[in-house]
Amino acid sequence: MSDDITLSEEQRDCYQEITNVAMGQAADRLARLLKVYVTLPIPNVNIIEINEFKMTLKALEGATSVSAVCQGFIGTGIAGEALLIFNDASFSDISELLKYPGDLDEHEELEILMDVANVLNGACIQGIGNQLDIKFSQSHPVILGQHCTIAELIEEQENRWKRTMAIEINYNIDEHKINCDLLLLFTEKSVVHMNRLISFLLED
Amino acid sequence: MTTSIQEDTEFHWLMAILQTIDVGLVVLDREYNIKLWNGFMENHSGLRPDETKGENLFKLFSEIDKEWFERKAEAVFLLNTPAFTIHEQRPYLFKFFNNRPITGRTDTMYQNATILPLNNSDGTTDHICLIIYDATNAAMHKLALDRCQSNMKD
């Protein structure tokens, strides 16, 4: 089953375009909500091996300036997880962005981290869902390293999957010095289903 | 004819389920007035639907931080995506008593909550749905685990 996961150049372009449109819509709504300009690069669509993913997780472990929030999403036949990685996130920048006043205690810091992640994830996931005509439901966000330990997570990945599709987007909000990577990971089975869905878009 | 009877029956089933399901459901409009109040909310708050319908959420429940909640909910109205709160960060939204008042080991109910956008037929959002999950058991287990871990460190 896992050997089936390959992307043709055409399919890759299609996913990139779908994500691009979704991001455009997301950026528009984020701009209206947060009153900021969001810089968006072209999304990266790749097949990643489990080892690469483990390395990403390892890099998160122990790093004090990096935080990551993951959130599952599921729709008809498609399931995956959105992983939002904040590079050198400072809570004061984020709280300023979300207009949380005053000093924050530890719980409030984590809460705004989840809020930001949820807004960025949600805006993108819904945009992709709209184009594929799928209504995704999102689960409660989980902060890696806070709500679960990363070492356990790496161990648990073993043998559960080998390679899958990942869409990577780099969000940049210059005004607030916020830089983060959104990683959309799909399960192996979902990729097969999504390839079928986009085949309708690719037909002339 | 039979299909419409069938549909009616299914509709009644769904209504009965919504009313009795062990999850709180509240529909709010743009001004945070309560539009729907299911059985779970009625039982735990002690307020009947006719006492809450049309009333302002923040007036009835002063424990909800208005500014904080509005900030979360505005994102739902505008972005049309759900928002979440979890018990680890915010133990509860509504101050309800524990489901097991005698053996429950805590007075208040820990809650996870989802704020869901409800679309109009034209795709805009004028109403949101609050879904309240009772997370007391999970929270108690987690607290017990934390206690256990800190005991081991000592």
Side-chain angles (χ1 to χ4, degrees), chain A residues 29-30 32-33 71 98-101 107-108 110-111 114-115 118-119 122-123 126 138-141 147, chain B residues 67-68 71-72 74-76 78-86 88-90 112-114 117 119 133 142:
Chain A
R29 287 185 290 181
L30 288 175
R32 272 187 279 164
L33 177 75
Q71 195 172 20
L98 286 189
K99 302 176 194 75
Y100 273 70
H107 282 303
E108 283 170 320
L110 293 180
E111 191 175 8
M114 287 189 348
D115 269 1
N118 181 53
V119 163
Q126 302 296 340
Q138 292 161 250
S139 66
H140 281 80
H147 299 145
Chain B
E67 248 180 66
W68 165 81
R71 217 164 20 223
K72 268 207 190 261
E74 281 309 310
V76 179
L78 199 69
L79 295 180
N80 211 3
T81 59
F84 302 91
T85 74
I86 61 171
E88 280 102 330
Q89 258 64 63
R90 196 165 282 259
N112 287 343
T114 304
N119 286 353
Y133 301 92
K142 195 145 192 283

Side-chain angles (χ1 to χ4, degrees), chain A:
Chain A
M1 189 74 193
S2 56
D3 295 336
D4 294 341
I5 300 193
T6 49
L7 286 184
S8 68
E9 209 44 43
E10 217 176 20
Q11 286 171 323
R12 189 190 302 259
D13 280 350
C14 190
Y15 284 122
Q16 210 161 47
E17 194 50 40
I18 288 174
T19 317
N20 225 347
V21 172
M23 296 308 299
Q25 292 168 345
D28 165 53
R29 287 185 290 181
L30 288 175
R32 272 187 279 164
L33 177 75
L34 305 171
K35 315 256 183 314
V36 288
Y37 181 73
V38 185
T39 323
L40 294 172
I42 295 166
N44 243 327
V45 180
N46 277 313
I47 297 289
I48 64 160
E49 306 277 340
I50 183 163
N51 286 333
E52 296 176 60
F53 182 62
K54 277 197 208 159
M55 263 152 58
T56 314
L57 286 179
K58 276 222 176 84
L60 290 173
E61 197 185 21
T64 47
S65 59
V66 181
S67 317
V69 182
C70 61
Q71 195 172 20
F73 58 88
I74 190 158
T76 33
I78 297 177
E81 233 173 283
L83 188 69
L84 193 74
I85 302 165
F86 292 91
N87 304 314
D88 199 19
S90 88
F91 285 112
S92 60
D93 287 330
I94 299 177
S95 63
E96 206 180 292
L97 174 70
L98 286 189
K99 302 176 194 75
Y100 273 70
D103 290 328
L104 300 167
D105 65 27
E106 195 190 331
H107 282 303
E108 283 170 320
E109 283 182 355
L110 293 180
E111 191 175 8
I112 59 166
L113 196 65
M114 287 189 348
D115 269 1
V116 149
N118 181 53
V119 163
L120 296 178
N121 285 345
C124 182
I125 292 166
Q126 302 296 340
I128 292 175
N130 278 345
Q131 290 174 76
L132 296 175
D133 199 20
I134 295 168
K135 190 135 178 62
F136 284 119
S137 71
Q138 292 161 250
S139 66
H140 281 80
V142 170
I143 299 176
L144 292 186
Q146 288 286 340
H147 299 145
C148 62
T149 66
I150 293 175
E152 277 173 22
L153 210 69
I154 295 173
E155 231 167 82
E156 282 165 11
Q157 294 301 319
E158 210 70 58
N159 300 327
R160 285 181 56 208
W161 54 280
K162 287 194 179 67
R163 58 204 312 252
T164 193
M165 184 172 72
I167 300 178
E168 197 185 339
I169 303 143
N170 185 269
Y171 277 101
N172 220 333
I173 304 172
D174 289 332
E175 286 169 61
H176 295 270
K177 294 195 224 80
I178 291 174
N179 179 282
C180 51
D181 285 308
L182 175 60
L183 206 59
L184 294 177
L185 295 161
F186 296 88
T187 59
E188 291 166 316
K189 274 188 187 151
S190 312
V191 179
V192 179
H193 186 65
M194 277 172 80
N195 280 343
R196 201 172 59 236
L197 282 180
I198 62 162
S199 70
F200 299 116
L201 296 175
L202 289 168
E203 271 172 26
D204 288 325

Side-chain angles (χ1 to χ4, degrees), chain B residues 18-30:
Chain B
L18 286 184
Q19 201 52 20
T20 43
I21 196 167
D22 205 17
V23 159
L25 297 170
V26 185
V27 173
L28 300 170
D29 67 8
R30 210 78 181 67

Side-chain angles (χ1 to χ4, degrees), chain B residues 122-142:
Chain B
D122 63 355
T124 56
T125 310
D126 287 327
H127 292 88
I128 51 174
C129 177
L130 258 177
I131 308 175
I132 308 286
Y133 301 92
D134 181 352
T136 311
N137 280 336
M140 286 293 100
H141 287 145
K142 195 145 192 283

